[in-house]
Amino acid sequence: MADRKATLQIDGQSIELPVLTGTAGYDVIDVRTLGKHGYFTFDPGFLATGSCESKITYIDGDKGVLLHRGYPIDQLATQADYLEVCYMLLHGEAPTAEEYSKFKQTITKHTMVHQGLHNFFNGFRRDAHPMAMLCAVTGALSSFYHDDLDIHDPETRLRSAYRLIAKMPTIAAMAYKYSIGQPFVYPRNDLNYAENFLNMMFSVPAEEYIISPTIARAMDRIFTLHADHEQNASTSTVRLAGSSGANPYACIAAGVASLWGPAHGGANEACLKMLAEIGSVANIPKYIDKAKDKNDPFRLMGFGHRVYKNFDPRATVMRDSAHEVLKELNIKDPLLDVAMELERIALEDPYFVEKKLYPNVDFYSGIILKAIGIPTNMFTVIFALSRTVGWTSHWNEMMGEENQKIGRPRQLYTGETQRDFVAIKK
């Protein structure tokens, strides 16, 4: 609510701006009326601009706090499963046992995709990046539900959200299977969300695939810990696309495209590439020195976080899962040895402790995904699969607002002023 005013003094002109206060976090100066006074704010990257009002996720990076609908992320990751978190993000409250059972059944029955969607994959090259396939096929889903796209109807919006949450694992697994030349595996209604995804990824017609409870639990935690992260680049992209009235499948495809960038969803893939560059435990001291050298371009990926200045609250839970998976699989992989030694150094070395360069969620999720056999080009796909519930929750929240306006950022123009055009013949 606006109960205070901020006064802006410009060239003798006094402009009063409302100060809005939320339930947590910084107060916000409402600058919407600045335009009529002849001014806009300038904030490249929107680093100090609140683009919307939301009740879904709250982050306090200085204190290492991440809340979904008020619930701490560590409690959700250890006491709930991914579909419980999905329900809570979409509906605002944790489900009762009856609500959870009904929601889980609905998602399970929506996991199959239209047979015609299989044909889309045949148009891709075998070496196409899985994110390219995911982006294209997600957008194409709207062509199968064109008669059920009333974005102003709350029930229709929820159906679209349910379809996307249910079908993303199927489409993601299809992209992987197509890239390695194996037949698509249909979803199974007797498996839970994480188990079903693992089965579609790794089972083959020739033999039975045994699903490890430890790996399924780790996969579920990866989904949960990536479910939403407030107004990040891809979520803001979904909101901006949705503000034009675009259908939900197009909006989520836009989110997938934004997530694809290495500065956003490619962080855990970049972490694995860094481990490959280091190569062996013997090379770690050299690379630690390079990381400490301000004049060296080498940077340790998967350490520290742009938002969290103290610690990443997701990393602690992910660390436990990483060690559980490595213990169960007992894998002898030099890159995983490098990762574990880097973790030890980062938690003990005064330089890393002082600068708070702790292993983050991308570091541990990358280790888990590599350990269970998922190739690095699928890492961002799994991130997109996980984040779909966050995207749809924000899209649904935005579309439910009254007087919702299309996004229209302003600019600081530094180009040519008006001049006359000379015809090419002259």
Side-chain angles (χ1 to χ4, degrees):
M1 298 297 294
D3 52 5
R4 290 179 293 144
K5 301 283 186 182
T7 303
L8 180 64
Q9 300 286 346
I10 304 178
D11 297 332
Q13 182 183 14
S14 180
I15 303 172
E16 281 198 342
L17 302 169
V19 178
L20 309 180
T21 302
T23 54
Y26 294 123
D27 290 345
V28 177
I29 300 173
D30 186 345
V31 298
R32 284 176 288 184
T33 59
L34 267 182
K36 68 181 183 182
H37 296 284
Y39 298 96
F40 295 129
T41 56
F42 185 63
D43 183 21
F46 308 109
L47 302 182
T49 298
S51 62
C52 64
E53 181 180 325
S54 181
K55 298 176 180 176
I56 298 172
T57 295
Y58 172 70
I59 295 172
D60 186 331
D62 293 331
K63 296 179 180 177
V65 171
L66 171 59
L67 307 177
H68 292 328
R69 300 290 191 180
Y71 301 108
I73 187 61
D74 57 326
Q75 293 181 19
L76 295 176
T78 55
Q79 300 178 41
D81 67 18
Y82 178 66
L83 286 186
E84 287 180 78
V85 174
C86 287
Y87 182 96
M88 180 200 61
L89 288 172
L90 281 169
H91 294 278
E93 297 290 342
T96 64
E98 183 179 352
E99 289 168 337
Y100 172 70
S101 178
K102 184 177 179 181
F103 177 70
K104 184 177 180 181
Q105 185 179 40
T106 300
I107 296 300
T108 299
K109 291 190 174 180
H110 274 300
T111 51
M112 286 190 67
V113 297
H114 193 286
Q115 195 68 20
L117 202 67
H118 291 213
N119 298 329
F120 278 77
F121 286 90
N122 294 326
F124 297 116
R125 286 170 48 123
R126 284 289 175 185
D127 59 352
H129 196 288
M131 280 295 281
M133 292 187 266
L134 185 71
C135 187
V137 175
T138 300
L141 280 173
S142 61
S143 65
F144 293 90
Y145 304 106
H146 56 84
D147 58 345
D148 194 32
L149 293 176
D150 183 358
I151 60 175
H152 302 294
D153 176 41
E155 290 188 9
T156 302
R157 292 202 303 268
L158 271 181
R159 277 199 300 273
S160 297
Y162 289 177
R163 286 189 185 117
L164 280 158
I165 293 167
K167 296 181 192 306
M168 273 302 210
T170 307
I171 296 170
M174 290 171 74
Y176 171 66
K177 287 296 193 182
Y178 183 82
S179 69
I180 62 173
Q182 288 187 2
F184 298 145
V185 176
Y186 287 89
R188 281 173 45 184
N189 290 353
D190 61 318
L191 300 176
N192 67 33
Y193 196 85
E195 291 170 344
N196 190 39
F197 175 67
L198 290 169
N199 187 69
M200 290 188 291
M201 282 284 291
F202 296 121
S203 67
V204 293
E207 60 188 28
E208 183 182 3
Y209 172 67
I210 306 299
I211 302 171
S212 160
T214 300
I215 293 175
R217 183 168 59 251
M219 197 78 250
D220 190 84
R221 281 186 177 176
I222 287 176
F223 293 158
T224 296
L225 295 172
H226 290 88
D228 190 48
H229 211 237
E230 208 217 74
Q231 306 307 318
N232 52 78
S234 58
T235 301
S236 298
T237 299
V238 170
R239 280 182 171 267
L240 192 60
S243 73
S244 72
N247 73 72
Y249 306 100
C251 295
I252 301 309
V256 173
S258 177
L259 188 73
W260 196 350
H264 189 4
N268 48 14
E269 185 174 348
C271 178
L272 263 292
K273 289 180 179 178
M274 176 202 69
L275 295 178
E277 180 182 347
I278 295 174
S280 72
V281 172
N283 293 331
I284 289 180
K286 178 179 72 173
Y287 280 91
I288 292 294
D289 290 340
K290 286 166 67 69
K292 293 179 180 180
D293 185 353
K294 293 181 180 179
N295 298 318
D296 194 301
F298 176 78
R299 293 290 179 268
L300 280 175
M301 305 301 294
F303 292 82
H305 196 279
R306 178 184 176 185
V307 173
Y308 301 109
K309 306 306 180 187
N310 190 356
F311 68 97
D312 185 340
R314 302 167 297 174
T316 304
V317 179
M318 204 78 269
R319 179 182 185 272
D320 293 341
S321 288
H323 285 275
E324 288 172 6
V325 168
L326 293 178
K327 181 179 179 181
E328 170 154 325
L329 296 178
N330 194 27
I331 297 174
K332 301 301 179 184
D333 186 327
L335 295 193
L336 295 178
D337 292 338
V338 171
M340 291 298 96
E341 179 61 13
L342 277 177
E343 179 200 37
R344 185 192 66 77
I345 292 172
L347 296 176
E348 296 178 2
D349 189 300
Y351 175 86
F352 290 94
V353 173
E354 180 183 342
K355 292 187 175 294
K356 298 176 181 177
L357 293 175
Y358 47 81
N360 60 33
V361 70
D362 299 310
F363 178 80
Y364 290 117
S365 63
I367 291 172
I368 292 172
L369 295 175
K370 176 173 174 55
I372 64 180
I374 293 177
T376 54
N377 65 1
M378 279 293 296
F379 285 9
T380 315
V381 172
I382 291 172
F383 195 160
L385 183 172
S386 311
R387 184 57 55 84
T388 295
V389 66
W391 292 333
T392 54
S393 296
H394 282 274
W395 171 81
N396 186 45
E397 178 182 64
M398 179 187 68
M399 296 312 299
E401 296 171 355
E402 293 183 7
N403 303 317
Q404 190 271 321
K405 293 180 172 60
I406 186 172
R408 180 59 171 87
R410 299 295 184 166
Q411 65 175 9
L412 175 64
Y413 179 70
T414 56
E416 296 286 347
T417 54
Q418 183 171 320
R419 52 183 172 169
D420 293 328
F421 176 74
V422 178
I424 193 168
K425 64 183 179 182
K426 295 183 179 181

